[in-house]
Amino acid sequence: MDLSGRLTKAKDLLLAGEDESEVPDVIGYQDVRHQWERGYRETLEQAIADGACGPDSTNIIDFPKTDLTVRPLARFSTRDRLIYDALVFTVADEIDRQLHPGVSSYRWNRFRGEPIRWWSNWTSYRAKSLQAIRSDTSLRVAYLDIAAFYEHIDVAILGDDLEALGGDQRAAGHITNFLSRFQTINHAWGLPQGPDASGILANLYLTPVDSYLARKSARFLRYSDDIKVFHPDWSELRDLFLGVNSQLRSRRLSISSSKTVILDPQDARERETDIRHDSLAGAIRYGRPRAREDLVNYFERIAKEGAFNGNQVRFVLGQLSRIRDDRAVGWCLDNLTRLPHAITHVFKYLNAAQSRTPEVKSALVHFLHSTQSAAHPLIEQRVLRYFIAMGIKDERVKEAAWNILEDRNRVDYAREFAARYIGENASIAEAQMLRHRFEGETNTAVRRAVLVALYEAGYLTTRYRNEIRASVPGMEWLCNFLATTPRISRPRIGPYAYF
């Protein structure tokens, strides 16, 4: 696949994953889709040919892992993200050829020229783990986890790995330069978290660990930095653990002591087999007696205990949606700020509970006007996105959106959706204020959103659009798209069925 094809593949995957994106684009990249064959792709090709591979700017988002912890998620500009993905796709096939069969994460489909979907990889990893434990009841399992894996990857060492890989050395050099610049312009280090491309590179970085375990004839599985080693003898597992630790130190990595453990066979089987979730899901799927009652009891126990485990929340909301039960609506609304790590599933559930929309709307409006809103920008963004997706017009929401948009201390991804909500519901006077906001805005992403808002407010004249295209760098593609008088689609929250 040539560079043009790799860029197109990167674009297609970016668009396909937008509904599940952790930080979605304010218009779902409609401008990129429309302008792709009208010069956008060729501009990226030329940038790579010239070695101008970026990144020009990056936002580091504290994305929730649990209700208490976060991970640094890199949000690139669309240009930078597509270039990064395309460059890594250039070397991905060769990286995948180096991987042991026990590695399940971020595998490469050589025939389609794209990453295999994460869900397929994860399902395979879990199935292989269960098969290993069930096939031999004497096996103990060493669970090894690497501390802050992506952040501690040494870009210089990774660059050496890429050079030794052979293949397209120009692409390898561009990747190393991209990552070096990523560290220079941000309070960040290691690999940018978020893109699948980083997972592909991370696999290359851990091949010495895989090779060590294979050379020792160890039975192991790996999904990114989660490693499982199977052996009946505790001492043998400990020796393998020490050898892995030595390999990791040579790569500037270290074991996470809190997540690393050797479990006896019975404990390992219990850890690998989520009996409650599997049996509940099966009972609900096949309509077995008491399935609904068992699910309700499970949810009520979680609610009573105040449990905010992400896997539990995602499971129970998905199953309640399956049986069209809205009993968790109030709980989700009451605990919104404790559920940021499950926020996508929370809003799928709230969106599906159509009969409770007035209650949901009231609670979310109250959230936007509370002090909690600014402290939880990811939730703030999702609330605004919900109102846009639902087509809900409300003066109180618009007032909150103005407050968010005008606050330069707010994060850009919340301000972008605030601008779009205002644009959809703006009066003439407010449209004039949006124009003033556009001209005074310094953040490129927010400026793009305000330009969309001006268009949706009916206040983007041909003269003014052409003036912006000629004088404001980075806006030409959006201006070209808006010149076709498109209908800007609303976000999709799905896929839970309405009930």
Side-chain angles (χ1 to χ4, degrees):
M1 186 183 297
D2 60 10
L3 176 59
S4 176
R6 290 190 296 272
L7 281 165
T8 298
K9 179 64 70 174
K11 179 264 298 182
D12 290 344
L13 293 173
L14 183 66
L15 268 57
E18 177 61 9
D19 287 347
E20 299 294 325
S21 174
E22 293 157 315
V23 186
D25 184 67
V26 71
I27 58 171
Y29 302 109
Q30 284 178 262
D31 52 341
V32 176
R33 185 195 303 271
H34 183 270
Q35 292 292 298
W36 190 252
E37 299 292 346
R38 295 171 173 85
Y40 195 102
R41 184 188 62 208
E42 287 79 0
T43 299
L44 300 183
E45 291 175 4
Q46 189 60 52
I48 293 174
D50 295 341
C53 298
D56 293 330
S57 64
T58 311
N59 285 336
I60 303 299
I61 299 168
D62 288 332
F63 193 85
K65 291 176 64 176
T66 70
D67 57 330
L68 292 176
T69 61
V70 298
R71 63 187 177 95
L73 188 72
R75 189 192 188 202
F76 293 122
S77 70
T78 307
R79 170 196 180 277
D80 292 341
R81 171 64 185 271
L82 291 173
I83 287 176
Y84 178 55
D85 286 356
L87 289 172
V88 175
F89 291 174
T90 303
V91 299
D93 189 19
E94 187 58 39
I95 290 175
D96 198 73
R97 293 178 189 275
Q98 312 304 316
L99 301 184
H100 187 274
V103 179
S104 296
S105 56
Y106 301 102
R107 298 307 300 250
W108 186 253
N109 186 322
R110 298 173 185 174
F111 302 101
R112 296 175 61 91
E114 63 183 43
I116 298 172
R117 294 183 63 188
W118 76 269
W119 180 248
S120 300
N121 289 330
W122 177 254
T123 302
S124 171
Y125 176 65
R126 186 165 182 263
K128 290 176 181 177
S129 299
L130 289 170
Q131 182 183 13
I133 292 173
R134 289 170 176 170
S135 66
D136 186 345
T137 57
S138 70
L139 288 178
R140 291 179 169 85
V141 184
Y143 294 87
L144 311 177
D145 187 84
I146 302 171
F149 172 48
Y150 275 63
E151 296 167 76
H152 289 159
I153 287 177
D154 189 300
V155 170
I157 294 176
L158 178 61
D160 293 340
D161 295 340
L162 288 168
E163 184 175 341
L165 194 65
D168 192 329
Q169 291 297 301
R170 183 173 172 81
H174 287 333
I175 293 169
T176 304
N177 291 337
F178 185 102
L179 295 174
S180 298
R181 182 168 171 79
F182 166 71
Q183 295 186 131
T184 301
I185 65 175
N186 297 285
H187 294 294
W189 52 93
L191 284 180
Q193 297 187 48
D196 281 355
S198 291
I200 294 170
L201 295 176
N203 273 342
L204 175 63
Y205 200 76
L206 286 183
T207 51
V209 173
D210 304 333
S211 297
Y212 166 78
L213 289 170
R215 187 166 56 81
K216 293 294 184 180
S217 301
R219 187 175 183 179
F220 76 98
L221 295 170
R222 179 168 70 77
Y223 191 94
S224 192
D225 63 321
D226 291 323
I227 306 169
K228 301 174 186 178
V229 187
F230 306 86
H231 199 281
D233 185 79
W234 191 95
S235 296
E236 183 69 21
L237 284 173
R238 180 180 180 277
D239 290 344
L240 289 170
F241 162 79
L242 293 175
V244 168
N245 196 44
S246 177
Q247 292 292 326
L248 291 175
R249 281 202 309 272
S250 72
R251 308 243 101 194
R252 310 295 188 265
L253 300 172
S254 61
I255 290 288
S256 171
S257 58
S258 62
K259 295 182 180 180
T260 297
V261 64
I262 297 175
L263 294 184
D264 290 335
Q266 180 60 35
D267 293 333
R269 282 193 293 274
E270 290 179 3
R271 174 165 172 161
E272 291 292 335
T273 307
D274 198 335
I275 298 174
R276 178 184 288 273
H277 284 187
D278 289 347
S279 61
L280 260 179
I284 290 166
R285 186 180 304 113
Y286 297 112
R288 291 172 184 159
R290 291 185 55 84
R292 176 185 290 266
E293 183 180 348
D294 288 344
L295 177 63
V296 169
N297 289 338
Y298 181 46
F299 164 69
E300 290 179 348
R301 181 176 69 79
I302 291 172
K304 183 177 180 180
E305 293 177 352
F308 298 99
N309 176 280
N311 289 333
Q312 289 180 336
V313 171
R314 288 186 285 269
F315 172 80
V316 78
L317 293 183
Q319 296 305 316
L320 286 173
S321 295
R322 181 182 287 272
I323 64 174
R324 301 180 184 277
D325 190 315
D326 65 359
R327 71 182 59 243
V329 168
W331 181 78
C332 287
L333 295 172
D334 289 343
N335 295 286
L336 203 58
T337 59
R338 296 292 303 278
L339 297 169
H341 52 302
I343 201 67
T344 299
H345 293 265
V346 167
F347 274 93
K348 286 179 183 178
Y349 182 74
L350 295 178
N351 181 60
Q354 296 284 291
S355 64
R356 304 284 292 275
T357 297
E359 176 188 348
V360 173
K361 173 186 170 183
S362 177
L364 296 183
V365 170
H366 181 267
F367 171 82
L368 287 177
H369 283 276
S370 72
T371 56
Q372 292 182 317
S373 185
H376 296 88
L378 184 67
I379 300 174
E380 186 173 72
Q381 179 219 49
R382 292 300 173 119
V383 171
L384 290 164
R385 187 169 181 257
Y386 170 85
F387 284 128
I388 295 168
M390 296 290 285
I392 294 174
K393 298 183 178 182
D394 188 287
E395 288 299 316
R396 295 168 298 168
V397 177
K398 188 162 62 173
E399 178 188 351
W402 272 114
N403 290 336
I404 294 167
L405 177 60
E406 292 175 337
D407 185 354
R408 293 180 185 272
N409 292 321
R410 290 295 227 285
V411 298
D412 55 1
Y413 54 85
R415 297 178 67 214
E416 290 167 43
F417 279 86
R420 180 147 187 218
Y421 185 86
I422 294 167
E424 281 200 343
N425 303 284
S427 65
I428 292 296
E430 287 169 327
Q432 293 169 329
M433 292 170 64
L434 280 171
R435 176 166 167 169
H436 178 264
R437 171 56 53 186
F438 175 83
E439 292 170 353
E441 183 58 54
T442 57
N443 183 288
T444 301
V446 176
R447 208 173 198 195
R448 172 172 170 264
V450 176
L451 186 57
V452 171
L454 277 171
Y455 170 78
E456 292 196 290
Y459 201 73
L460 185 61
T461 65
T462 300
R463 182 203 64 78
Y464 191 49
R465 187 189 63 241
N466 289 338
E467 182 180 299
I468 292 170
R469 179 169 48 195
S471 60
V472 182
M475 294 293 160
E476 59 272 21
W477 303 112
L478 179 58
C479 286
N480 291 340
F481 169 58
L482 297 179
T484 65
T485 62
R487 178 183 174 274
I488 308 295
S489 61
R490 288 184 172 138
R492 293 185 301 174
I493 297 179
Y496 292 167
Y498 293 152
F499 56 88

